[in-house]
Structure formats: C-alpha cells, structure tokens
Amino acid sequence: MANIKLMSNQLANMIAAGEVVEQPQHVIKELVENAMDAKAKHITIDVKDEGLSLIRVEDDGIGMSEEDLPLSIQRHATSKVFNIEDLQSIQTLGFRGEALAAIASVSKLKIFSKSKETSGKVMEVDSGEIKSIHDYAMNQGTIVEITQLFFNTPARFKFMKSSFQQQKYIRQLFMEMALSRPTISFQLIENDKIYKQTSGSGDTLLLIEELFGKQYATVTQKVTTQIAHTKMELFLGSPDINVSTKSYMHTFVNQRYVKHYGIQESILSGYDGRLMTKRYPFVLCYITIDPQRIDINIHPQKLHVKLTNESVLAYHIRETVANHLNSTIRPLVRPMQIKDDQYSSQTLEFEENLDIYESNEVKQTKIPTMYYIGMLGGTYGIFQNHEGLFLVDAHAAQERVRYEYYQDKFDIKNVTQIQRIVAFPWTLDNEMIEDAMKQTSLLKSFQFDVSKEGIHAHPQLIKEVDLNHAVEIILNDQTLSMSQFKDQLSKDMSCKGSIKANQRISQHEFEHLIASLNACDEPYHCPHGRPTIIQVTYQDIEKMFKRIV
Ligand SMILES: Nc1ncnc2c1ncn2[C@@H]1O[C@H](COP(=O)(O)OP(=O)(O)OP(=O)(O)O)[C@@H](O)[C@H]1O
Ligand SMILES: [Mg+2]
C-alpha cells in the first residue's frame, strides 16, 4: 500500500504560512504590499494587541470583483504574474499568489472589496474555508480584517515575541513601508491611537520630517546619480546625527524595501572616517533599476534581492557618498571666517617650527583665531575669541594631524625602501611570524623583506615602532591594495602616536597643535569621526544664564 499521499490544500497552505507569515508584522507586510500593488493612494493599518486580536488594512486601490474575491485566497492564484517572462521582470511587490492563502489558513478573516465596475462584497473566511459572501456598501478599495491570528497554530502563538518587541517590529515595518512610497499616505493606528501618519506628498524630505522629525530632515541632503540605466536617489544624513544601530539605513530597489548588505557597506565606506566605530548614519537609498536586472525570488519574505553588476553599483555609491560628504557637509561646530591678518602671520610662525606637521603652506585657514586660556581635566584645551568659547580635544586633534601627515607623506606610487644592517626584531606571535614566512612575496610587494630573524627592509616612512604592526595589517587582510594598506596604517599609526587623555601638554604645544590642525583638510573630525573642536558661542552662554531666551 502506498504511504505517500498528496496533502490537503489547507495543510499545504499552513506549511507555506510558516515561511511567509511567522509573525504579525509579516502579515501586515503582505497586506500592505497588496494594497500598494492595487495602486492605493491612502493606506490605513489598524492594529490591536500587536496584531494578535486585530490586523486591519484598508486601502483605496482598484479593489476586487465578486469573482476575484474567492480566488484571492486560493494558493497560486494571482493577478500579477501569468507567465515566465512576467516572472523575469516583476513590476509588483507580490507575484507568488500565496500570501492571502497562507494568512487565511492560520486565522479568521474578512475581506471587504469593491472594484470600479462591481458593487461591494464582504467574504468571511475561517482557517482558509470560505464561510459566506454578502453584499456590502462601501467605496472603491479593499479592507482585509484579521481577527484571531494563529488561533489554529497554538505552537506559533506561544512562540510570539514579547508585545514590546512585537510593537517595535510593527513600527519599524511601518516606517519602511511609508519610506518606500513617498506618494502614498500611510497611517498606523495602535490600539485606537494614531502612532504616525504621512501625507503622501511625494516630497521625501517632508516624509523624513513626518516620520523622524525636523531635526533629521534639516541635516539630510538629497543626491542623485546614475550609472548606465540604473538611477539612484540618496538622502544622506549629516555624520553628526548618528546612532548605534544600522536601523536608520534603508535601501529600496524599485520601490521595494530590501536588506542589501553590499549596498549598506558601500554607503558606510563612503562615510568612512566621519563616524566613530559602531556608529551609523541616517541614510535612505532609492535605486531604480531595470526589473530584468534584479532577482527578487530568493527569499520567502522577498527581503533580499540580487542585482546584476552589484560590485560596480557598490563602488559608484561609495564614491558618490564620499564626494558629497567631502564637498558639503560641515560639522555642527560653527567655523568662523578668518579676516584677520594677525592670524595668518601667527599661523606661519607656528608652521615654521612645527615638528608634527612640516608643511610650509597653509592650505586653507579654517579654524578661527582663538586664544589659549588653559587646560580642562588634562584632556581639553580651552580657547576663546570674540565669538565665545572653544574646547579642543587634544587627543582627537592630534590623531587628525598625524593621520593627514601619514596620508600625505606615504606616496603609494613611489614607496622608498630602506635596508637595515641588522634586522628589526619581531614582536608578533609565532603563528603570525610563520604566516609572514609563507607570505614573503606578498610582503615584498609592500616593500617588506623579512626572515625568521626579523624585518630586513621596509618602506622608509614607517617608523620602527610601527613596523610589526604594519606587517600584521598586511597579513590580516591579504587582499589589501596599497592604498587600503596606507589608509589602515595611517589610521592605526595616528591613534598609537597621539597624545592620550590626561597627558598634559603645554600651552606652546597646544598652540602648535592648533596650527597643525589648521593645515589639515578635515580639521573638525578625528579619523574615527569624533569632533576635534566644539564651540560654545556667547549666545549659547547667555541662553544658559537666561540673559536671553
Ligand atoms: N488590497 C487588494 N486590492 C486589490 N486586490 C487584491 C488586494 N489584496 C489581494 N488582492 C488580489 O488577490 C490576489 C492574491 O493576493 P496574494 O497576496 O495572495 O498574492 P500576490 O500578491 O499575487 O502574490 P504574493 O503571494 O507574492 O503576495 C492578488 O494577486 C490580487 O489580485
Ligand atoms: Mg501579495
């Protein structure tokens, strides 16, 4: 007797539901995507008890006819994809024809719908089975109302995350959905209270203001760029507004919210040097690409996509972000225009006997003229001028100075090697030395000659104390280019060689440091993104003393 039998539709749908709708927010996502595919202009999401007692999504889209209504909850029934060619150039968010079938199998739901040509109907469904279809007077559009989600899958119900976590997921999803379509007005109602709503104005900066507040919108700038037929619209937040997670970095491909590690990393590398480690910017990245060049069908919840030529795109994005940040965004400190002759002569005088940064030209006078008052806590220099008070972080300032010193000095196209009479001894561990022995030709390409005894030859600029560390950098990432090596090295060297907190420095040394900082391209941030100088204006002080309001 045969043991293998075809499973019932109901069971097959429940199994499929395990992949598509594990949590209430997945259900909401599917319903809202259907509403967006139906060309809705307004979408309202109503949630009670984080979706467990009610999920109701209302739209004013094209609606469904009486014949379509029962088909909508059948597995593999869709109005969006009919043949293989359609699948290869998907224009809609849905295409599998399984979401409603899966949701219906694990809940009790009602679908109210009215298309342009037909009258309104309501269909009642219990565990995937249609109970009734009745007339219902309504405007064009669709309402899907789910009560008792997962009532027939007790195990799933039990494994629901805490309601606090669940609420967070739903809010996050709402943000992603609303951000994906600036022209649609969205509303999220939680337990009868409006959480947030958007106007659907089509203006993304206004949308940012509506969702995150004015403080985000005012420091975000729009940059558009194109490579071949792929268009990109980037909304780049100032590095001064940053958070400890990547949850404010969003990517959209053809109006679909996606998680794309490569794109995210390329954006972050564009911000390189402006953010502290483990701090992330606010960025929205909208990509419009030929649908034939993307594969969406690689993840059950359609969260990941594969793009053709991803690496070219990633490189282009990185360059666009870096160029934009270089050209426009200034730190929150208020730099002052230098008009004062006395300052330039002073700067040159400092420059002459500079041992930290030996440059005889002042590239740009960016730091305001200011006069030393003293030190605070052994770490901060206090300066003043007619604008107010300045605090300078000595460690961060010197990191910047040394970073740019190495960056400028280390000419990657022309690295001079010096030979040592006696090998410089290893301080690396044995495993690393063995690794170095295996990688002699790689090390040679960076102008290092090494043996078991130590380092025999190396690039001239690298200081003895940094030699072992430089070898370590090369061995740790054997795919490094010379310019990446230089970058890493200058970052590490600047950090190692800089003044540590609480190490007193004299007034003279501090003034040297400011002059050197002034000669830097980016004087206001250390290479890790921390500010070097902050300013408190007289106005700020007067406000603090309540002389002005
Ligand atoms: N809000 C809505 N307005 C109009 N039609 C809808 C709506 N929701 C669902 N439908 C219809 O029901 C069909 C089935 O929806 P369902 O979400 O199950 O599948 P899909 O969107 O086609 O594909 P996927 O499973 O990838 O989401 C859709 O193709 C659409 O025709
Ligand atoms: Mg769908």
Side-chain angles (χ1 to χ4, degrees), residues 186-269:
F186 288 87
Q187 187 175 51
L188 174 62
I189 304 172
E190 295 172 334
N191 300 319
D192 298 323
K193 275 205 209 91
I194 296 179
Y195 165 61
K196 271 191 177 140
Q197 55 191 348
T198 67
S199 58
S201 67
D203 175 350
T204 310
L205 283 171
L206 177 62
L207 179 63
I208 294 172
E209 186 178 328
E210 288 163 348
L211 291 174
F212 303 97
K214 215 180 175 75
Q215 69 276 29
Y216 279 83
T218 48
V219 296
T220 300
Q221 297 196 3
K222 176 176 166 177
V223 183
T224 52
T225 174
Q226 182 160 0
I227 177 164
H229 293 297
T230 304
K231 292 192 180 121
M232 278 156 275
E233 222 174 55
L234 295 154
F235 290 84
L236 303 173
S238 150
D240 296 305
I241 297 271
N242 55 69
V243 289
S244 63
T245 67
K246 293 180 189 163
S247 57
Y248 281 169
M249 296 184 72
H250 299 286
T251 305
F252 306 90
V253 176
N254 291 356
Q255 299 190 296
R256 175 193 299 278
Y257 171 74
V258 297
K259 289 195 187 309
H260 197 293
Y261 181 77
I263 291 173
Q264 198 171 60
E265 284 307 296
S266 61
I267 293 171
L268 282 176
S269 68

XYZ file of all heavy atoms in Angstrom, residues 186-269:
677
model
N 0.188 57.079 4.450
C 0.053 55.923 5.343
C -0.362 56.375 6.731
O 0.011 57.475 7.163
C 1.406 55.205 5.501
C 1.855 54.447 4.297
C 2.575 55.080 3.282
C 1.598 53.090 4.178
C 3.009 54.377 2.176
C 2.034 52.378 3.078
C 2.738 53.023 2.067
N -1.065 55.497 7.410
C -1.423 55.783 8.792
C -1.320 54.490 9.596
O -1.770 53.446 9.128
C -2.870 56.295 8.814
C -3.308 56.788 10.161
C -4.700 57.393 10.100
O -5.620 56.766 9.591
N -4.850 58.596 10.615
N -0.706 54.574 10.763
C -0.664 53.398 11.644
C -1.434 53.724 12.920
O -1.129 54.701 13.606
C 0.783 53.010 11.983
C 0.946 51.880 13.008
C 0.341 50.570 12.511
C 2.419 51.642 13.348
N -2.448 52.906 13.197
C -3.237 53.090 14.418
C -2.965 51.897 15.335
O -3.137 50.750 14.924
C -4.746 53.190 14.090
C -4.980 54.323 13.084
C -5.562 53.414 15.358
C -6.389 54.390 12.545
N -2.508 52.192 16.550
C -2.228 51.111 17.502
C -3.214 51.233 18.660
O -3.250 52.276 19.319
C -0.824 51.266 18.091
C 0.296 51.112 17.081
C 1.644 51.479 17.677
O 1.702 52.277 18.640
O 2.651 50.976 17.169
N -3.972 50.203 18.908
C -4.985 50.222 19.981
C -5.772 51.535 19.997
O -5.809 52.237 21.006
C -4.331 49.963 21.338
C -3.647 48.604 21.368
O -4.182 47.626 20.852
N -2.455 48.552 21.926
N -6.319 51.885 18.855
C -7.167 53.077 18.654
C -6.437 54.418 18.719
O -7.080 55.468 18.703
C -8.349 53.110 19.649
C -9.267 51.913 19.441
O -9.452 51.534 18.264
O -9.758 51.366 20.442
N -5.116 54.407 18.829
C -4.389 55.687 18.843
C -3.516 55.782 17.595
O -2.825 54.826 17.242
C -3.439 55.731 20.055
C -4.093 56.194 21.316
C -3.022 56.800 22.237
C -3.385 56.633 23.688
N -2.884 55.412 24.307
N -3.510 56.976 16.958
C -2.659 57.130 15.769
C -1.206 57.183 16.224
O -0.839 58.014 17.059
C -2.998 58.425 15.006
C -4.426 58.350 14.467
C -2.011 58.648 13.855
C -4.872 59.588 13.719
N -0.395 56.283 15.712
C 1.038 56.322 16.038
C 1.743 57.339 15.139
O 2.380 58.266 15.621
C 1.650 54.925 15.901
C 3.161 54.936 15.875
C 3.888 55.420 16.961
C 3.866 54.482 14.750
C 5.280 55.449 16.931
C 5.252 54.507 14.725
C 5.949 54.995 15.812
O 7.318 55.038 15.771
N 1.587 57.178 13.835
C 2.193 58.128 12.895
C 1.403 58.126 11.612
O 0.775 57.118 11.267
C 3.635 57.717 12.575
C 4.601 58.329 13.550
C 6.034 58.202 13.189
C 6.787 58.962 14.270
N 7.951 58.456 14.761
N 1.459 59.246 10.884
C 0.868 59.240 9.550
C 1.703 60.099 8.614
O 2.414 60.989 9.053
C -0.582 59.699 9.582
C -0.807 61.052 10.221
C -2.300 61.298 10.444
O -3.138 60.571 9.935
N -2.617 62.327 11.190
N 1.614 59.771 7.331
C 2.372 60.535 6.348
C 1.387 61.145 5.357
O 0.287 60.627 5.170
C 3.372 59.636 5.594
O 2.638 58.702 4.785
C 4.270 58.873 6.552
N 1.829 62.251 4.720
C 0.889 62.969 3.867
C 0.838 62.430 2.436
O -0.094 62.722 1.702
C 1.276 64.446 3.838
O 2.603 64.555 3.355
N 1.849 61.661 2.041
C 1.874 61.165 0.666
C 2.130 62.264 -0.344
O 1.705 62.196 -1.494
N 2.861 63.310 0.086
C 3.092 64.479 -0.769
C 4.072 64.190 -1.915
O 4.145 64.941 -2.872
C 3.669 65.616 0.075
O 4.981 65.240 0.504
N 4.840 63.123 -1.795
C 5.846 62.835 -2.816
C 7.178 63.490 -2.517
O 8.180 63.223 -3.185
N 7.207 64.344 -1.505
C 8.447 65.032 -1.132
C 9.124 64.208 -0.020
O 8.639 64.153 1.111
C 8.076 66.441 -0.634
C 9.276 67.208 -0.106
O 10.353 66.599 0.057
O 9.122 68.413 0.144
N 10.255 63.580 -0.379
C 10.879 62.653 0.566
C 11.411 63.371 1.805
O 11.382 62.815 2.906
C 11.998 61.857 -0.131
O 11.449 61.327 -1.332
C 12.497 60.717 0.719
N 11.876 64.615 1.640
C 12.379 65.328 2.817
C 11.251 65.626 3.806
O 11.426 65.542 5.015
C 13.108 66.605 2.405
C 14.518 66.363 1.853
C 15.095 67.622 1.254
C 15.462 65.805 2.910
N 10.068 65.924 3.233
C 8.912 66.146 4.103
C 8.530 64.833 4.800
O 8.203 64.809 5.993
C 7.731 66.686 3.285
C 6.432 66.903 4.052
C 6.610 67.950 5.146
C 5.306 67.316 3.113
N 8.634 63.738 4.048
C 8.343 62.415 4.612
C 9.289 62.105 5.782
O 8.866 61.592 6.828
C 8.497 61.372 3.499
C 8.257 59.916 3.857
C 6.822 59.691 4.292
C 8.573 59.017 2.658
N 10.554 62.449 5.599
C 11.540 62.232 6.679
C 11.126 63.035 7.909
O 11.154 62.545 9.037
C 12.962 62.622 6.206
C 13.419 61.670 5.089
C 13.960 62.615 7.368
C 14.719 62.070 4.405
N 10.692 64.262 7.662
C 10.255 65.107 8.778
C 9.034 64.486 9.475
O 8.965 64.441 10.709
C 9.932 66.508 8.250
C 9.615 67.482 9.353
C 9.351 68.883 8.826
O 9.952 69.275 7.805
O 8.532 69.566 9.453
N 8.103 63.973 8.669
C 6.887 63.395 9.249
C 7.185 62.145 10.088
O 6.560 61.911 11.107
C 5.894 63.023 8.129
C 5.250 64.243 7.491
C 4.589 63.942 6.133
O 4.806 62.855 5.541
O 3.869 64.815 5.650
N 8.171 61.373 9.628
C 8.433 60.110 10.327
C 9.477 60.232 11.442
O 9.386 59.575 12.461
C 8.891 59.039 9.332
C 7.848 58.546 8.345
C 8.466 57.602 7.333
C 6.714 57.834 9.081
N 10.497 61.077 11.214
C 11.612 61.104 12.172
C 11.766 62.449 12.884
O 12.524 62.548 13.840
C 12.935 60.786 11.459
C 12.929 59.468 10.753
C 12.658 59.390 9.400
C 13.185 58.297 11.440
C 12.633 58.177 8.740
C 13.166 57.070 10.803
C 12.887 57.012 9.447
N 11.108 63.476 12.373
C 11.220 64.794 12.993
C 12.082 65.728 12.169
O 12.880 65.303 11.333
N 11.884 67.014 12.437
C 12.563 68.062 11.671
C 14.086 67.976 11.809
O 14.826 68.251 10.869
C 12.079 69.422 12.177
C 11.968 70.454 11.081
C 11.474 71.787 11.628
C 11.493 72.839 10.544
N 10.458 72.740 9.570
N 14.529 67.550 13.002
C 15.977 67.518 13.239
C 16.697 66.593 12.258
O 17.862 66.806 11.941
C 16.293 67.167 14.694
C 15.978 65.754 15.149
C 14.530 65.579 15.568
O 13.633 66.265 15.083
N 14.275 64.637 16.458
N 15.983 65.574 11.757
C 16.599 64.696 10.757
C 16.506 65.329 9.362
O 17.454 65.292 8.592
C 15.907 63.325 10.751
C 16.422 62.438 11.847
C 15.929 62.532 13.136
C 17.439 61.526 11.601
C 16.419 61.740 14.159
C 17.944 60.725 12.609
C 17.421 60.837 13.893
O 17.923 60.059 14.887
N 15.337 65.890 9.060
C 15.129 66.428 7.714
C 16.098 67.577 7.421
O 16.639 67.672 6.320
C 13.690 66.888 7.565
N 16.365 68.419 8.421
C 17.189 69.596 8.132
C 18.666 69.248 7.916
O 19.386 70.026 7.321
C 17.092 70.659 9.244
O 17.279 70.000 10.487
C 15.769 71.378 9.251
N 19.113 68.111 8.402
C 20.534 67.772 8.193
C 20.700 66.680 7.140
O 21.740 66.056 7.028
C 21.227 67.345 9.505
C 21.261 68.485 10.495
C 20.540 66.128 10.118
N 19.634 66.447 6.360
C 19.711 65.418 5.323
C 19.699 66.080 3.958
O 18.941 67.028 3.731
C 18.507 64.455 5.464
O 18.583 63.857 6.747
C 18.532 63.373 4.413
N 20.552 65.608 3.084
C 20.609 66.206 1.748
C 20.392 65.154 0.673
O 20.826 64.023 0.815
C 21.962 66.883 1.552
C 22.125 68.018 2.532
C 23.237 68.953 2.140
O 23.860 68.794 1.094
N 23.487 69.922 2.974
N 19.745 65.609 -0.392
C 19.432 64.683 -1.482
C 20.542 64.728 -2.533
O 20.975 65.802 -2.932
C 18.103 65.095 -2.100
C 17.692 64.276 -3.296
C 16.323 64.714 -3.753
C 16.008 64.190 -5.129
N 14.662 64.552 -5.552
N 20.977 63.569 -2.977
C 21.981 63.485 -4.041
C 21.455 62.486 -5.063
O 21.057 61.385 -4.692
C 23.327 62.935 -3.493
C 24.383 62.923 -4.576
C 23.793 63.746 -2.309
N 21.440 62.877 -6.327
C 21.004 61.901 -7.328
C 22.176 61.552 -8.228
O 23.057 62.376 -8.486
C 19.853 62.438 -8.194
O 20.257 63.703 -8.692
C 18.583 62.580 -7.430
N 22.177 60.337 -8.698
C 23.259 59.897 -9.572
C 22.744 58.752 -10.444
O 21.693 58.176 -10.169
C 24.500 59.479 -8.739
O 25.475 58.925 -9.607
C 24.162 58.441 -7.691
N 23.484 58.455 -11.474
C 23.036 57.434 -12.418
C 24.241 56.688 -12.947
O 25.294 57.284 -13.181
C 22.309 58.131 -13.563
C 21.765 57.183 -14.583
C 20.656 57.809 -15.419
O 20.302 58.972 -15.223
N 20.114 57.047 -16.337
N 24.101 55.400 -13.121
C 25.166 54.638 -13.775
C 24.469 53.718 -14.767
O 23.585 52.961 -14.392
C 26.069 53.913 -12.749
C 27.110 53.084 -13.447
C 25.311 53.073 -11.751
C 28.251 52.654 -12.549
N 24.837 53.850 -16.037
C 24.115 53.200 -17.138
C 22.622 53.531 -16.983
O 22.286 54.694 -16.841
C 24.375 51.705 -17.176
N 21.738 52.518 -16.899
C 20.315 52.857 -16.773
C 19.830 52.813 -15.336
O 18.644 52.916 -15.076
C 19.471 51.921 -17.648
C 19.735 52.152 -19.105
N 19.458 53.345 -19.706
C 20.289 51.358 -20.041
C 19.818 53.278 -20.972
N 20.332 52.086 -21.197
N 20.757 52.595 -14.419
C 20.346 52.493 -13.019
C 20.411 53.861 -12.354
O 21.450 54.520 -12.366
C 21.260 51.490 -12.286
O 21.204 50.258 -12.989
C 20.815 51.287 -10.857
N 19.266 54.271 -11.804
C 19.218 55.602 -11.169
C 19.241 55.447 -9.660
O 18.658 54.509 -9.118
C 17.920 56.306 -11.553
C 17.860 56.676 -13.009
C 16.690 57.620 -13.239
C 16.629 57.988 -14.707
N 15.402 57.650 -15.354
N 19.898 56.394 -9.003
C 19.945 56.339 -7.542
C 19.606 57.691 -6.949
O 20.074 58.716 -7.437
C 21.338 55.952 -7.091
C 21.576 54.470 -7.130
S 23.306 54.109 -7.269
C 23.532 54.224 -9.016
N 18.791 57.661 -5.924
C 18.461 58.863 -5.190
C 18.892 58.589 -3.752
O 18.398 57.652 -3.125
C 16.946 59.043 -5.229
C 16.519 60.447 -5.458
C 15.009 60.558 -5.635
O 14.265 60.109 -4.754
O 14.609 61.094 -6.667
N 19.851 59.380 -3.274
C 20.357 59.132 -1.914
C 19.980 60.293 -1.018
O 20.108 61.452 -1.413
C 21.888 59.001 -1.946
C 22.440 57.803 -2.705
C 23.835 58.087 -3.218
C 22.454 56.591 -1.818
N 19.508 59.982 0.161
C 19.249 61.013 1.162
C 20.258 60.776 2.271
O 20.170 59.784 2.987
C 17.806 60.948 1.657
C 16.839 61.375 0.599
C 16.402 60.479 -0.360
C 16.426 62.694 0.513
C 15.545 60.873 -1.371
C 15.566 63.106 -0.491
C 15.132 62.198 -1.435
N 21.246 61.664 2.335
C 22.382 61.420 3.219
C 22.308 62.327 4.443
O 22.332 63.552 4.324
C 23.689 61.687 2.462
C 23.877 60.857 1.185
C 25.116 61.318 0.429
C 23.996 59.383 1.515
N 22.216 61.708 5.589
C 22.189 62.463 6.840
C 23.595 62.939 7.188
O 24.573 62.289 6.824
N 23.654 64.061 7.881
C 24.956 64.547 8.318
C 25.570 63.527 9.279
O 24.856 62.921 10.081
C 24.759 65.886 9.029
O 25.750 66.052 10.001
N 26.897 63.343 9.227
C 27.530 62.382 10.153
C 27.319 62.763 11.612
O 27.452 61.925 12.494
C 29.015 62.460 9.787
C 29.094 63.174 8.493
C 27.855 63.986 8.328
N 26.989 64.027 11.861
C 26.765 64.438 13.255
C 25.534 63.795 13.867
O 25.400 63.707 15.078
C 26.614 65.962 13.334
C 27.905 66.629 12.923
O 28.931 66.307 13.513
O 27.879 67.443 11.984
N 24.587 63.394 13.008
C 23.408 62.679 13.512
C 23.698 61.211 13.290
O 23.685 60.739 12.159
C 22.155 63.088 12.708
C 21.852 64.570 12.889
C 20.974 62.223 13.036
C 20.959 64.899 14.045
N 24.016 60.486 14.336
C 24.332 59.073 14.135
C 23.797 58.244 15.296
O 23.563 58.756 16.378
C 25.836 58.873 13.950
C 26.615 59.468 15.091
O 26.569 58.968 16.205
N 27.320 60.567 14.838
N 23.593 56.966 15.039
C 23.003 56.082 16.052
C 23.832 54.799 16.169
O 24.715 54.549 15.350
C 21.535 55.709 15.702
C 20.615 56.887 15.868
C 21.430 55.155 14.294
N 23.518 53.992 17.187
C 24.361 52.825 17.440
C 23.947 51.579 16.652
O 24.578 50.550 16.747
C 24.349 52.506 18.930
O 23.031 52.167 19.286
N 22.842 51.686 15.868
C 22.475 50.524 15.047
C 22.299 50.989 13.602
O 22.216 52.190 13.336
C 21.127 49.912 15.484
O 20.107 50.869 15.183
C 21.110 49.573 16.944
N 22.187 49.989 12.714
C 22.017 50.349 11.302
C 20.546 50.557 10.967
O 20.173 50.564 9.805
C 22.599 49.241 10.426
C 24.109 49.137 10.548
C 24.642 48.028 9.664
C 26.114 47.790 9.972
N 26.579 46.506 9.456
N 19.696 50.716 12.002
C 18.258 50.755 11.727
C 17.809 52.050 11.057
O 16.659 52.163 10.655
C 17.459 50.495 12.999
O 17.835 51.440 13.962
N 18.687 53.022 10.918
C 18.325 54.230 10.178
C 18.969 54.238 8.789
O 19.106 55.281 8.161
C 18.724 55.486 10.951
C 17.764 55.842 12.064
C 18.080 56.807 13.003
C 16.535 55.211 12.178
C 17.204 57.137 14.037
C 15.653 55.524 13.192
C 15.986 56.482 14.118
O 15.115 56.795 15.122
N 19.370 53.073 8.334
C 19.907 52.969 6.969
C 18.926 52.101 6.182
O 18.717 50.938 6.513
C 21.279 52.304 6.981
C 22.318 53.113 7.730
S 23.936 52.340 7.595
C 24.340 52.686 5.879
N 18.304 52.692 5.170
C 17.271 51.960 4.445
C 17.563 51.942 2.949
O 17.949 52.961 2.380
C 15.913 52.612 4.651
C 15.484 52.636 6.091
N 15.049 51.520 6.748
C 15.452 53.636 6.995
C 14.745 51.824 7.992
N 14.983 53.114 8.175
N 17.357 50.789 2.340
C 17.573 50.667 0.902
C 16.274 50.218 0.228
O 15.577 49.350 0.747
C 18.683 49.625 0.626
O 19.828 50.008 1.358
C 19.027 49.562 -0.849
N 15.980 50.846 -0.891
C 14.783 50.496 -1.652
C 15.195 50.238 -3.091
O 15.916 51.041 -3.685
C 13.767 51.644 -1.612
C 13.450 52.075 -0.198
C 14.199 53.065 0.421
C 12.443 51.453 0.508
C 13.939 53.434 1.731
C 12.169 51.810 1.816
C 12.924 52.811 2.430
N 14.764 49.106 -3.612
C 15.051 48.819 -5.018
C 13.704 48.736 -5.733
O 12.842 47.944 -5.331
C 15.844 47.504 -5.168
C 16.056 47.175 -6.635
C 17.184 47.612 -4.455
N 13.529 49.551 -6.730
C 12.247 49.640 -7.449
C 11.073 49.726 -6.478
O 10.114 48.963 -6.566
C 12.076 48.456 -8.409
C 13.043 48.549 -9.559
O 13.780 49.521 -9.687
N 13.047 47.535 -10.407
N 11.183 50.647 -5.537
C 10.125 50.938 -4.563
C 9.820 49.787 -3.618
O 8.765 49.735 -3.008
C 8.835 51.363 -5.273
C 9.028 52.613 -6.089
C 7.705 53.124 -6.554
O 7.004 52.472 -7.313
N 7.343 54.300 -6.093
N 10.756 48.842 -3.515
C 10.581 47.727 -2.594
C 11.646 47.886 -1.513
O 12.818 48.097 -1.819
C 10.807 46.416 -3.350
C 10.776 45.165 -2.477
C 11.313 43.969 -3.258
N 10.521 43.692 -4.442
C 9.387 42.999 -4.436
N 8.912 42.503 -3.325
N 8.735 42.793 -5.559
N 11.247 47.764 -0.244
C 12.219 47.828 0.828
C 13.019 46.529 0.827
O 12.442 45.453 0.794
C 11.505 47.993 2.183
C 12.453 47.853 3.324
C 13.350 48.874 3.613
C 12.501 46.690 4.087
C 14.265 48.745 4.642
C 13.413 46.561 5.119
C 14.290 47.584 5.389
O 15.204 47.451 6.395
N 14.342 46.617 0.829
C 15.162 45.396 0.825
C 16.306 45.523 1.834
O 16.673 46.620 2.244
C 15.789 45.113 -0.567
C 14.728 44.871 -1.603
C 16.731 46.221 -0.998
N 16.838 44.380 2.201
C 18.057 44.382 3.003
C 19.172 43.975 2.060
O 19.127 42.900 1.479
C 17.951 43.358 4.131
C 16.965 43.766 5.209
C 17.179 42.914 6.442
C 16.130 43.147 7.507
N 15.900 44.533 7.880
N 20.130 44.863 1.855
C 21.218 44.535 0.944
C 22.535 44.911 1.595
O 22.901 46.073 1.684
C 21.034 45.282 -0.386
C 21.850 44.692 -1.491
N 23.214 44.746 -1.485
C 21.505 44.006 -2.602
C 23.661 44.131 -2.558
N 22.649 43.673 -3.259
N 23.231 43.889 2.059
C 24.458 44.100 2.814
C 25.487 44.891 2.012
O 26.101 45.836 2.504
C 25.018 42.730 3.228
C 26.274 42.820 4.035
C 26.218 43.172 5.379
C 27.512 42.571 3.452
C 27.369 43.277 6.119
C 28.673 42.674 4.189
C 28.597 43.025 5.522
O 29.738 43.142 6.244
N 25.650 44.517 0.736
C 26.675 45.151 -0.103
C 26.435 46.650 -0.257
O 27.367 47.459 -0.133
N 25.188 47.031 -0.504
C 24.872 48.455 -0.683
C 25.085 49.195 0.634
O 25.674 50.273 0.679
C 23.437 48.622 -1.216
C 23.390 48.100 -2.652
C 22.993 50.086 -1.164
C 22.017 48.053 -3.252
N 24.638 48.584 1.718
C 24.805 49.207 3.032
C 26.290 49.446 3.347
O 26.675 50.530 3.792
C 24.191 48.274 4.069
C 23.917 48.949 5.372
C 23.104 48.044 6.279
O 23.539 46.958 6.628
N 21.930 48.482 6.643
N 27.091 48.434 3.049
C 28.528 48.573 3.320
C 29.152 49.658 2.450
O 30.025 50.395 2.882
C 29.249 47.231 3.064
C 29.022 46.222 4.151
C 29.347 46.748 5.544
O 30.523 47.059 5.802
O 28.417 46.868 6.371
N 28.691 49.756 1.188
C 29.296 50.768 0.316
C 28.921 52.172 0.795
O 29.726 53.094 0.725
C 28.925 50.534 -1.147
O 27.540 50.610 -1.293
N 27.718 52.324 1.326
C 27.326 53.630 1.877
C 28.208 53.932 3.084
O 28.779 55.028 3.206
C 25.843 53.641 2.278
C 24.972 53.523 1.030
C 25.495 54.907 3.056
C 23.502 53.303 1.297
N 28.366 52.921 3.948
C 29.175 53.140 5.157
C 30.616 53.478 4.801
O 31.234 54.335 5.435
C 29.139 51.897 6.048
C 27.865 51.750 6.867
C 27.879 50.450 7.649
C 27.707 52.937 7.829
N 31.144 52.832 3.769
C 32.536 53.152 3.445
C 32.638 54.562 2.852
O 33.670 55.205 2.965
C 33.205 52.080 2.590
O 32.632 52.048 1.333
